[in-house]
């Protein structure tokens, strides 16, 4: 028996169990995965997922294994699988996922090319389901199809679970001159996408998308810095049975404690976060929260209140939609420099490199390009000037302390 652990969420068991007949996949559409196996055994073997916990004998004994029309599983196969389930766990801490959430065992046809295996299966427990979500910023039907085919090719898949119109200035609808929603309907009819969704930074467009009933999920900036307007979007999505995906769960890097962010987000019913991880330490925190859970303690509540007071009002989220700047200013950092200086070790922002970048603000043309692109309606040139002034004051104070 060989066992291989892969990725963050899945633990794969590579079981060298010789079967009297090859395992076969069920009929019809099914999920699949491609797995790279090092030093695979030469014989036929069973490939399955491992899930935490011990598998009781009842999981095997209470099933009628011989009701499968395409893959009759005899007593020898069941004995092999029972033994493998016990051996794979290491003192019963893991068991095969074949019976979790399904009356049938997980089985499939393994198609191999060298040491890469395409494994089609069924009966996957929810905790192992992988949802493919991506987006298109296309403004026309032609651009939509081009982006979709690129995503399918790049992701090496036949379909996308959640395909999102990304931050359009309007809400695409059937029959629109842009042709976007009609193209999405056709792609869904062809089986290339399963759910039509939308992302946005504009409250008006977000509300229109929810009210239209045309979309299955909304992705919108949402963190514990959110105000009543964002909370209203979440409530409306929940009331209309529409999924809500929290974009920028760390507020573009302004939130520094992943545990506190995760504890607050866990309290938001019907919300799935996209954290926007910028540091490996943040990833470690989120993984720990998944493994062990996280509690919204009084200390973390105090952190949230402190951050809300410090970060209230208009501030740059660092989304970068204003870029590139005609004057070469790195707006998505320079326009929020005052916050970064106080929420991270200041020394990292006071280097010669960053001093040169802040000097670029002197070249601002006040052309309005950044303001026209800002999804939050900020007066970006004013923010740049305020952050410029504060930056040199902080730098001077830093030098005086040395």
């Amino acid at each position: 028996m060989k066992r291989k652990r892969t990725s963050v969420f899945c633990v794969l068991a590579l079981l060298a169990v010789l079967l009297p007949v090859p395992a076969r996949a069920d009929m019809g559409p099914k999920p699949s995965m491609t797995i790279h196996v090092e030093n695979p055994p030469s014989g036929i073997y069973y490939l399955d997922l491992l899930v935490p916990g011990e598998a009781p004998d009842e999981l095997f004994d209470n099933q009628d294994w011989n009701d499968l029309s395409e893959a009759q599983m005899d007593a020898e196969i069941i004995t092999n699988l029972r033994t493998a389930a016990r051996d794979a766990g290491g003192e019963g801490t893991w068991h095969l996922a074949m019976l979790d959430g399904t009356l049938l065992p997980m089985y499939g046809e393994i198609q191999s090319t060298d040491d890469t295996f395409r494994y089609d299966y069924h009966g996957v427990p929810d905790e192992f389901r992988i949802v493919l979500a991506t987006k298109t910023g296309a403004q026309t039907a032609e651009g939509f199809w081009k982006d979709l085919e690129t995503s399918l090719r790049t992701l090496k898949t036949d379909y996308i679970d959640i395909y999102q119109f990304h931050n359009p200035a309007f809400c695409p609808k059937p029959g629109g001159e842009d042709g976007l929603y009609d193209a999405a309907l056709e792609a869904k009819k062809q089986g290339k996408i399963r759910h039509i969704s939308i992302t946005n930074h504009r409250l008006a467009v977000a509300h229109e998308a929810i009210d239209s009933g045309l979309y299955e999920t909304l992705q919108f900036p949402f963190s514990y810095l959110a105000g009543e307007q964002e909370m209203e979007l979440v409530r409306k999505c929940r009331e209309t049975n529409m999924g809500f995906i929290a974009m920028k769960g760390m507020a573009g890097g302004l939130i520094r404690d992943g545990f506190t962010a995760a504890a607050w987000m866990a309290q938001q019913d019907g919300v799935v976060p996209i954290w926007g991880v910028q540091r490996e330490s943040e990833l470690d925190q989120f993984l720990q929260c998944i493994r062990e859970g996280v509690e919204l303690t009084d200390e973390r509540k105090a952190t949230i209140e402190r951050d809300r007071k410090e970060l209230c009002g208009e501030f740059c989220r660092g989304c970068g939609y204003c870029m590139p700047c005609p004057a070469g200013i790195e707006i998505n950092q320079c326009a929020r420099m005052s916050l970064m200086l106080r929420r991270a070790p200041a020394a990292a922002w006071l280097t010669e490199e960053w001093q040169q970048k802040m000097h670029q603000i002197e070249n601002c043309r006040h052309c309005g390009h950044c303001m026209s692109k800002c999804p939050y309606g900020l007066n970006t040139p004013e923010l740049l000037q305020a952050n410029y002034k504060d930056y040199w004051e902080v730098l001077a104070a830093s030098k005086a302390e040395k």
Side-chain angles (χ1 to χ4, degrees):
M1 183 191 74
K2 295 179 181 290
R3 185 171 62 185
K4 181 178 178 66
R5 302 182 74 140
T6 66
S7 83
V8 172
F9 300 101
C10 293
V11 184
L12 296 175
L14 179 58
L15 306 174
V17 179
L18 298 182
L19 304 180
V21 294
R24 300 181 63 187
D26 60 313
M27 298 293 289
K30 60 189 72 67
S32 64
M33 65 173 69
T34 300
I35 302 167
H36 181 79
V37 182
E38 294 182 1
N39 302 317
S42 58
I44 300 172
Y45 56 90
Y46 185 86
L47 184 66
D48 205 345
L49 298 167
L50 287 179
V51 294
E54 185 175 356
D57 286 341
E58 289 76 11
L59 287 181
F60 294 90
D61 297 337
N62 291 344
Q63 302 297 334
D64 181 5
W65 297 101
N66 293 315
D67 62 355
L68 304 180
S69 59
E70 297 242 348
Q72 297 296 322
M73 301 187 71
D74 58 25
E76 183 177 355
I77 296 176
I78 299 304
T79 299
N80 287 337
L81 293 176
R82 185 198 301 268
T83 301
R86 289 171 173 164
D87 292 346
E91 301 181 359
T93 56
W94 297 84
H95 71 273
L96 294 176
M98 67 178 74
L99 292 172
D100 281 12
T102 176
L103 294 178
L104 301 177
M106 288 179 59
Y107 64 98
E109 183 176 358
I110 302 175
Q111 303 171 346
S112 65
T113 303
D114 297 325
D115 55 357
T116 299
F117 294 76
R118 170 91 174 188
Y119 181 59
D120 294 317
Y121 56 89
H122 72 83
V124 185
D126 286 341
E127 63 185 289
F128 287 102
R129 293 191 186 277
I130 299 173
V131 176
L132 292 178
T134 187
K135 58 193 179 183
T136 173
Q139 301 296 310
T140 64
E142 181 181 1
F144 173 95
W145 287 110
K146 180 180 179 181
D147 287 353
L148 177 57
E149 293 301 329
T150 298
S151 292
L152 293 172
R153 182 175 63 254
T154 304
L155 292 171
K156 298 180 180 179
T157 182
D158 299 325
Y159 66 90
I160 304 294
D161 289 294
I162 299 176
Y163 202 58
Q164 304 162 105
F165 295 121
H166 181 52
N167 198 37
F170 59 96
C171 179
K173 295 179 180 179
E177 292 184 3
D178 51 271
L180 288 171
Y181 201 91
D182 291 329
L185 286 174
E186 178 60 27
K188 187 175 182 179
K189 181 179 178 181
Q190 294 179 16
K192 294 183 177 182
I193 62 177
R194 295 186 172 181
H195 305 284
I196 303 173
S197 298
I198 189 169
T199 83
N200 223 268
H201 294 255
R202 301 168 179 85
L203 285 166
V205 175
H207 279 289
E208 188 176 355
I210 298 172
D211 296 339
S212 72
L214 296 171
Y215 296 95
E216 297 196 51
T217 69
L218 167 68
Q219 185 180 157
F220 199 86
F222 189 71
S223 69
Y224 67 62
L225 300 180
E228 178 55 31
Q229 291 177 317
E230 290 89 350
M231 298 300 293
E232 182 184 2
L233 290 178
V234 173
R235 286 193 295 269
K236 286 184 66 174
C237 283
R238 190 161 55 240
E239 291 168 359
T240 56
N241 198 31
M242 182 177 178
F244 187 96
I245 301 172
M247 182 197 308
K248 298 184 182 298
M250 296 290 281
L254 294 180
I255 294 175
R256 312 296 292 183
D257 181 3
F259 291 119
T260 299
W264 181 86
M265 196 70 75
Q267 307 293 312
Q268 313 308 311
D269 186 31
V271 175
V272 175
I274 295 179
W275 292 113
V277 172
Q278 298 185 16
R279 302 169 183 81
E280 186 174 351
S281 59
E282 293 173 350
L283 177 60
D284 291 338
Q285 289 176 346
F286 295 134
L287 293 179
Q288 183 176 334
C289 291
I290 292 171
R291 292 191 303 267
E292 304 173 9
V294 61
E295 181 182 354
L296 187 58
T297 62
D298 289 340
E299 181 180 356
R300 287 172 179 151
K301 290 178 182 178
T303 296
I304 292 172
E305 289 305 312
R306 183 176 63 250
D307 285 352
R308 284 174 173 171
K309 289 179 181 179
E310 182 177 334
L311 298 171
C312 64
E314 295 189 344
F315 62 90
C316 175
R317 277 78 167 176
C319 68
Y321 285 107
C322 55
M323 302 289 285
C325 170
I329 303 170
E330 194 168 325
I331 301 173
N332 57 327
Q333 297 293 3
C334 293
R336 60 177 187 162
M337 182 58 70
S338 293
L339 293 173
M340 304 308 293
L341 287 171
R342 291 162 177 81
R343 301 191 60 78
W349 300 98
L350 298 175
T351 62
E352 290 290 336
E353 177 185 2
W354 273 106
Q355 290 176 45
Q356 290 299 318
K357 290 181 178 182
M358 291 300 290
H359 272 302
Q360 284 295 115
I361 296 177
E362 299 165 8
N363 299 324
C364 177
R365 304 172 186 175
H366 297 274
C367 63
H369 172 85
C370 51
M371 291 179 62
S372 67
K373 298 290 186 180
C374 180
Y376 301 97
L378 300 176
N379 189 325
T380 313
E382 284 190 3
L383 279 176
L384 286 171
Q385 294 303 320
N387 279 266
Y388 176 86
K389 180 176 182 294
D390 182 59
Y391 182 84
W392 299 112
E393 290 174 354
V394 172
L395 179 62
S398 174
K399 292 179 178 180
E401 292 174 357
K402 294 181 180 180

